[in-house]
Amino acid sequence: MTHSRPDPAPVQTAAELPARTGGPQEVSRLSRSPRIAVDLLGGDGAPAVVVDGALLALESDPDLALLLVGPRSVADEIRRGLDPVVRDRVDVLSAQHGVAMTDPVARGADPQTSIGAAMHGLAGDRADAVVSAGASGAIVAAAVMGLRRLPGVRRPALTAILPGAQGPLVLLDVGAGMQVNPVELVQHAVLGAAYARLVAGIDQPRVGLLSVGHEPGKGDKLRRAADAALRVHAMAGAVYVGLVEGHDVVLGTRANVIVTDGFTGNVLLKGIEAALGTAATTYLETYAPPTAVPRAAALLGVAGTVVVCHGAATAPDLASGIGLATRLVRADVAQQLALPARDAPDRLAEVPT
């Protein structure tokens, strides 16, 4: 059943929104249908592809509400074409400018841009989550500056769920942090294991650190130090299995949570996506239906729900990202990640940086 809403408030700019006062995912958010802020100017095919994805998401979830963030003319045109009942589920937050791939990442925090305005809307409780296919660096910068990091998290991690031969597999970081240290990799392992339980349905996650071999001592200085730290750091409800290799990411037999730096993870993810696209009719039908995993990545470690889609995302990809954001809000994942994140640093005080 579709829940009716009051008439939408007049279109606002990000500067007109109130400052955020509460923590991530407040109780009031859970008592109503989720409202997802969608960046209309993010992605190669924006705004047309984003609009199509948003419409698909609205059709698939009658309880979903959207906050369209972008030029008012574009948003108003979308709303005029909607059935009146659906129109009541769509609000507008005006932002005239996008963030180009060549712009400094800090521009993402500018409330005059669609990414910055969306984060401002989330921080001001006009939305419960943000979804964007824009520049990932700008999205991460906007989230860190606008929402703050969770206590105990030095660097957030973009986290993807992939179809593995043994079931879903969590891979992080896939692009948020290009240069990390051992402490941050251990923190990401903690976040990834918790995310695997909460979202991927993995009861006892098996965590592996990606390297060039599975024997102890393999890899560069970063991998060796992080491996040593993970061997002595107990993760609640999860087990560290040691170093893993690239084939483990596809098979998932040894580990179902794979931790790496954002540079390696991003290259690996794009290669896997291309391979899956080429072999979709065989691999996906054998190991997982196409709808079994979201085609987007969640930003873990910030005080709010942020989902990043690929810049070349299609309309179904955008709808999948909106669907993932909705799942995370309904499960209160951001709040549930706060405890493991806060507990990690004290136990890592002796890890070399």
Side-chain angles (χ1 to χ4, degrees):
M1 176 182 294
T2 300
H3 299 290
S4 61
R5 289 176 174 271
D7 291 337
V11 175
Q12 291 179 287
T13 63
E16 297 172 320
L17 295 176
R20 181 177 184 149
T21 57
Q25 309 300 337
E26 297 173 356
V27 174
S28 60
R29 297 183 173 201
L30 302 178
S31 63
R32 56 176 170 79
S33 301
R35 184 183 299 278
I36 311 301
V38 179
D39 174 13
L40 290 177
L41 298 181
D44 300 344
V49 171
V50 182
V51 170
D52 290 343
L55 294 177
L56 286 175
L58 285 169
E59 291 173 4
S60 64
D61 187 345
D63 289 332
L64 173 67
L66 297 182
L67 178 65
L68 302 179
V69 186
R72 179 171 184 171
S73 59
V74 175
D76 284 348
E77 183 178 354
I78 297 168
R79 294 188 74 252
R80 280 195 296 269
L82 296 174
D83 178 272
V85 175
V86 179
R87 190 182 305 140
D88 286 344
R89 295 156 51 199
V90 178
D91 281 352
V92 179
L93 180 58
S94 180
Q96 296 302 314
H97 307 290
V99 179
M101 291 294 179
T102 54
D103 286 340
V105 295
R107 180 164 165 75
D110 183 351
Q112 300 302 312
T113 67
S114 56
I115 293 175
M119 293 298 174
H120 208 85
L122 175 55
D125 290 331
R126 281 225 35 209
D128 303 310
V130 170
V131 175
S132 176
S136 57
I139 298 169
V140 173
V144 169
M145 287 188 268
L147 305 175
R148 304 181 308 275
R149 288 182 289 264
L150 289 175
V153 175
R154 293 186 180 183
R155 188 186 298 271
L158 279 170
T159 306
I161 300 178
L162 303 175
Q166 303 298 314
L169 181 143
V170 173
L171 174 66
L172 75 164
D173 180 14
V174 295
M178 300 298 162
Q179 295 181 341
V180 296
N181 61 42
V183 172
E184 290 161 353
L185 287 177
V186 177
Q187 291 177 350
H188 291 173
V190 172
L191 290 172
Y195 188 77
R197 290 193 301 272
L198 293 169
V199 181
I202 301 172
D203 291 334
Q204 291 288 326
R206 305 184 309 277
V207 180
L209 179 66
L210 188 63
S211 190
V212 295
H214 68 271
E215 301 87 357
K218 287 282 190 176
D220 58 10
K221 182 179 179 181
L222 171 64
R223 248 58 59 161
R224 294 195 301 270
D227 177 48
L230 283 164
R231 290 181 184 278
V232 299
H233 176 68
M235 289 181 284
V239 59
Y240 177 62
V241 302
L243 299 175
V244 296
E245 300 179 67
H247 59 80
D248 292 304
V249 181
V250 177
L251 300 176
T253 51
R254 190 151 182 263
N256 46 29
V257 177
I258 308 291
V259 180
T260 189
D261 61 278
F263 180 90
T264 304
N266 187 268
V267 173
L268 177 62
L269 177 64
K270 289 176 179 176
I272 291 174
E273 287 175 339
L276 290 178
T278 302
T281 55
T282 56
Y283 186 90
L284 285 176
E285 288 179 3
T286 301
Y287 296 127
T291 56
V293 293
R295 297 185 289 278
L299 183 63
L300 306 187
V302 295
T305 301
V306 178
V307 169
V308 180
C309 297
H310 195 285
T314 63
D317 293 339
L318 264 299
S320 177
I322 295 170
L324 172 61
T326 303
R327 285 175 54 198
L328 299 183
V329 170
R330 285 175 171 152
D332 200 19
V333 170
Q335 180 64 50
Q336 294 196 61
L337 288 176
L339 181 59
R342 186 172 62 246
D343 286 347
D346 290 342
R347 294 197 289 266
L348 301 178
E350 302 303 318
V351 176
T353 58

